[in-house]
Amino acid sequence: MTPTTTSALTTSITDLRAQAVARGRRLVLIAASLSNGPDLADVYGVRSLDDATAEIVRRAQAHDSVPCHLLRVSRLGSFLAGAMVEPDHAVAQVAVLVDEMREMLDVHGERVWPIITVAARECGPTDDVWGTVRDVRGTLVTAQRDTPGGTSWHHDDDEDVVPHDSLTLVRDLAEALTEQPGQLDLAYQPVVDLRHGAMTGAEALLRWHHPHRGPVGPLVAVEAAERTGLIHPLGRLVLERAVCQLASWRGRVGPTFRMHVNVSPIELREASYADGVAATLRRCGVRPEQLLLEITETALLADDPRVLRTITALHRIGVGLGIDDFGTGYSSIRHLHRLPIDTVKVDRSLVAGIATSPSDFALTRAVLGLLTTTGATVVAEGIEDPAQQARLLAMGCTLGQGYHLGRPVAADELFSTDSWSRDGTTEMLGA
Ligand code: C2E
Ligand code: MG
Ligand code: MG
């Protein structure tokens, strides 16, 4: 029997947990998905996907030593089951169970390898049952993205797991984008010439004021948007607002003042992206050189021909391209040489220790030395005190950003002197 409502599912799990405890065992929830299900349905029909799922479920249930009960099955090649495991052997026993599922399938006489992605979470005696279901589903969503065909255990301290409430977060973001754009806002953080404190540009940073959740961090919003395609309308909204904002500052900023806008690599895969940027610039009357698009993950950029085409088109239009968070996981000097990059932003993790640790200082100096070989302009991120600013200047780095120089603020506060400059202001910023 497949329970269909939330309360029926919760009751089934609670019963199963009681049975497991009575037998001296523990209940583990297993969420599984046939990651190549859509291909299977495409080639052999939806019926074949249902049959394949049923066969995988049958294999899981056929195991003698680890009783496994089907709790819910969806028509999309995924299901939720509860396995009763011995407390000290939970991981090993789930692995055995999953191994049984991962065997060749016979589909219309053809052999098909099922890519089964599995998430597991113990449903402890005092755990909130519905909470464990959300956890294991969230882990499955993340696993399908990051480790298809593998088994991932949910741990409460996992950072990278898609939030439990990801469905409602996505709905709320879609609502904000389509019906309540006032919830979405941009803060602007000055980019400063470290020699005399003049503001040479500003970075636009997304702010989402959620009516019930309060402020939602940009990384949370962007991650949800990247997962769901909402990154495209979100990116367009950010770009439009930032570019129009810059147009409205005409007369206050000089011709070399640049607006920095963060862009997701996923946006760059879209064939129409560069045309959209050009149209926005035309609409707002802003010259392409005044826009700098900040991109992370150079490896991904350099290896994806779609992204390379977009980058080349943006470069041809005259838009500046910057690499963000340089020095973290994905960036490499080799890739920088292959791309038309004009600005590199050195991540704040490389700035944090330069005034207190000789080895951090030496490392950052070496990185800055390497970056000079690319010919790109370097901006140091995360400058939090005057000592870091002085050290960077001594290393030849003349541009920076950070709380010491100016925090992200609302557009109309950006030009109040105390929000950004320690050394007073210049008449025409960026002139
Ligand atoms: P980012 O582009 O590297 O932006 C700099 C982040 O560091 C901002 O965090 C900023 O508030 C913070 N920051 C600046 N100075 C300091 C400092 O001195 N110390 C410390 N500890 N932090 C500092 P925020 O606004 O939370 O943004 C986080 C990230 O979210 C951004 O990192 C960017 O990757 C992403 N993001 C923000 N807005 C957008 C957007 O519109 N589109 C996309 N795709 N990503 C965005
Ligand atoms: Mg940035
Ligand atoms: Mg950064």
Side-chain angles (χ1 to χ4, degrees):
M1 230 241 350
T2 305
T4 47
T5 64
T6 301
S7 60
L9 181 61
T10 311
T11 310
S12 303
I13 295 173
T14 311
D15 288 351
L16 211 53
R17 177 170 63 179
Q19 286 175 37
V21 171
R23 295 162 74 163
R25 295 198 167 214
R26 289 288 168 84
L27 182 67
V28 169
L29 294 186
I30 295 176
S33 178
L34 189 56
S35 295
N36 50 343
D39 291 344
L40 209 71
D42 245 15
V43 179
Y44 302 102
V46 179
R47 198 50 211 282
S48 306
L49 175 56
D50 289 344
D51 292 347
T53 313
E55 168 61 12
I56 294 164
V57 169
R58 193 197 58 72
R59 290 173 182 175
Q61 289 181 302
H63 205 274
D64 298 333
S65 56
V66 189
C68 185
H69 296 258
L70 180 64
L71 291 159
R72 178 174 273 186
V73 64
S74 91
R75 288 209 67 205
L76 303 168
S78 62
F79 62 91
L80 181 70
M84 295 188 200
V85 298
E86 291 164 26
D88 295 337
H89 305 287
V91 172
Q93 292 188 337
V94 167
V96 170
L97 204 61
V98 172
D99 267 354
E100 305 253 320
M101 301 187 221
R102 288 194 186 118
E103 286 193 1
M104 204 64 85
L105 289 169
D106 182 316
V107 182
H108 294 300
E110 288 208 41
R111 283 154 63 79
V112 173
W113 178 250
I115 303 175
I116 303 173
T117 309
V118 175
R121 188 213 199 279
E122 188 178 319
C123 181
T126 57
D127 285 342
D128 167 51
V129 169
W130 190 239
T132 59
V133 172
R134 284 187 312 200
D135 283 349
V136 79
R137 284 194 178 143
T139 303
L140 182 64
V141 173
T142 311
Q144 281 175 307
R145 184 192 64 196
D146 297 344
T147 50
T151 302
S152 307
W153 278 78
H154 171 90
H155 295 286
D156 283 339
D157 52 356
D158 285 350
E159 277 180 6
D160 202 27
V161 169
V162 173
H164 308 147
D165 54 354
S166 66
L167 265 184
T168 51
L169 188 78
V170 167
R171 178 204 60 203
D172 292 353
L173 182 59
E175 265 173 16
L177 282 164
T178 53
E179 295 158 22
Q180 314 264 329
Q183 289 178 21
L184 301 166
D185 196 8
L186 295 182
Y188 295 90
Q189 185 178 31
V191 178
V192 172
D193 189 317
L194 300 177
R195 291 166 298 189
H196 40 71
M199 181 160 41
T200 62
E203 177 171 9
L205 294 161
L206 178 68
R207 297 292 178 256
W208 181 10
H209 311 284
H210 191 285
H212 310 301
R213 297 170 199 257
V216 179
L219 286 171
V220 173
V222 166
E223 194 276 335
E226 285 182 332
R227 239 178 331 109
T228 53
L230 290 174
I231 194 67
H232 304 294
L234 181 64
R236 283 195 291 272
L237 178 138
V238 169
L239 184 74
E240 175 88 25
R241 297 234 184 124
V243 169
C244 289
Q245 188 65 62
L246 178 59
S248 79
W249 287 335
R250 199 169 292 127
R252 294 183 91 167
V253 300
T256 59
F257 186 96
R258 279 180 133 185
M259 180 62 86
H260 297 230
V261 175
N262 292 286
V263 173
S264 158
I266 292 172
E267 292 176 78
L268 300 178
R269 290 192 193 138
E270 204 71 0
S272 61
Y273 184 77
D275 285 346
V277 172
T280 304
L281 289 166
R282 267 198 310 275
R283 211 169 27 252
C284 300
V286 165
R287 284 180 297 107
E289 305 75 47
Q290 290 187 279
L291 176 66
L292 184 92
L293 297 177
E294 293 190 5
I295 312 158
T296 42
E297 304 193 37
T298 53
L300 200 146
L301 303 181
D303 294 338
D304 186 331
R306 292 168 297 182
V307 174
L308 272 181
R309 278 195 288 274
T310 300
I311 289 184
T312 309
L314 288 167
H315 182 62
R316 212 173 287 137
I317 294 167
V319 169
L321 291 166
I323 291 301
D324 208 347
D325 302 344
F326 187 82
T328 55
Y330 298 100
S331 35
S332 105
I333 290 271
R334 188 171 62 83
H335 288 125
L336 289 188
H337 280 279
R338 291 171 48 200
L339 299 167
I341 297 300
D342 68 58
T343 300
V344 177
K345 297 184 74 173
V346 173
D347 190 65
R348 68 166 182 269
S349 56
L350 276 167
V351 171
I354 52 172
T356 47
S357 151
S359 59
D360 281 13
F361 176 79
L363 175 70
T364 303
R365 192 173 50 185
V367 170
L368 291 176
L370 271 175
L371 284 177
T372 57
T373 65
T374 66
T377 302
V378 175
V379 179
E381 294 189 276
I383 302 175
E384 293 187 346
D385 59 50
Q388 291 169 343
Q389 178 176 358
R391 285 286 170 105
L392 286 161
L393 266 173
M395 292 183 215
C397 176
T398 55
L399 289 174
Q401 209 177 333
Y403 293 164
H404 170 61
L405 305 160
R407 287 182 177 259
V409 290
D412 51 6
E413 290 169 44
L414 188 69
F415 297 102
S416 71
T417 36
D418 29 312
S419 83
W420 62 274
S421 174
R422 308 262 136 188
D423 308 321
T425 183
T426 51
E427 274 301 296
M428 280 285 264
L429 302 161

